[in-house]
Amino acid sequence: MDKQEVRDLLDKMGALESSDSDLSINARALMADPIVSNKLAVELLQKVDRESKPELVLSLPGIDSYFAYNVALSAWMRFGICETLDQEVSASLSVKKNEKVVIVLDTYNEAIAQKIISFVESINAKVVAVLSLVGSDTSIGKIPCHCLI
C-alpha cells in the first residue's frame, strides 16, 4: 500500500485526526474494523528487517496499546506495555536479556520512543525498530523508525 492508500483508508474509518498540520491516530476508530487494523499491522511489519527476527512488541498502556497488540498478534510476538512516568519506565512483563524488541506507537513521538529505547537497552535487550502508523521515516541512532504515513 502506498501512503495515499493508507491515508484514504484511515480517513474513511475516521481514524486519522489532524490539528495544526500534525496528524494523529484515533485508536478507538481504528479498532472498529479489526480486518483493516490487521492489514495495516502486516503492512507495517513488512518494513522491519526480516533478519532481525523480533520477539517482543512494546507499546504505551491503555488505548494506545490496541494497534500494537494487533501488530504482535500478526507476527506471533510477545506483547507488553511500558509505563513512562516522568523519567521512570517500567514494563508489564519481563524483558529478557538479548531479546529483540519492536516499539509500536500509533503516532510517532521521538521523546517517548527514546525513553522506551533507553529502558530496553538498560536491561541489555535490543530494539530493532520503532513502528508507527503516523510520523516520518527516520532513525534514532542506528534504530530505524518506520511509519505508514
Side-chain angles (χ1 to χ4, degrees):
M1 295 176 78
D2 68 26
K3 290 183 183 236
Q4 190 59 49
E5 288 175 304
V6 172
R7 187 182 191 116
D8 291 346
L9 189 59
L10 290 170
D11 270 336
K12 184 178 177 181
M13 296 175 66
L16 191 60
E17 298 178 340
S18 63
S19 62
D20 299 334
S21 75
D22 287 336
L23 296 175
S24 62
I25 295 294
N26 176 332
R28 281 188 174 88
L30 178 64
M31 298 318 303
D33 190 336
I35 294 170
V36 171
S37 184
N38 184 61
K39 182 176 182 172
L40 293 171
V42 170
E43 192 74 26
L44 199 49
L45 282 164
Q46 290 176 357
K47 294 180 174 262
V48 176
D49 176 18
R50 291 178 191 253
E51 298 301 314
S52 67
K53 299 181 178 160
E55 306 157 290
L56 172 65
V57 169
L58 288 177
S59 184
L60 296 173
I63 192 167
D64 292 321
S65 68
Y66 293 179
F67 179 70
Y69 184 70
N70 209 340
V71 171
L73 286 176
S74 296
W76 294 80
M77 286 189 267
R78 292 186 330 125
F79 173 77
I81 58 170
C82 281
E83 295 278 353
T84 56
L85 305 170
D86 298 321
Q87 296 301 318
E88 292 261 334
V89 176
S90 62
S92 64
L93 74 168
S94 175
V95 179
K96 301 171 188 167
K97 183 177 180 179
N98 298 321
E99 191 162 30
K100 295 174 185 170
V101 177
V102 171
I103 298 168
V104 178
L105 305 171
D106 291 352
T107 303
Y108 179 75
N109 180 308
E110 185 174 354
I112 291 172
Q114 185 59 63
K115 278 185 181 182
I116 299 173
I117 290 168
S118 295
F119 166 73
V120 169
E121 290 176 343
S122 75
I123 51 180
N124 296 316
K126 181 182 179 187
V127 175
V128 297
V130 176
L131 304 178
S132 302
L133 288 168
V134 173
S136 60
D137 289 329
T138 185
S139 63
I140 298 176
K142 294 183 179 182
I143 300 167
C145 302
H146 302 291
C147 300
L148 289 182
I149 58 172

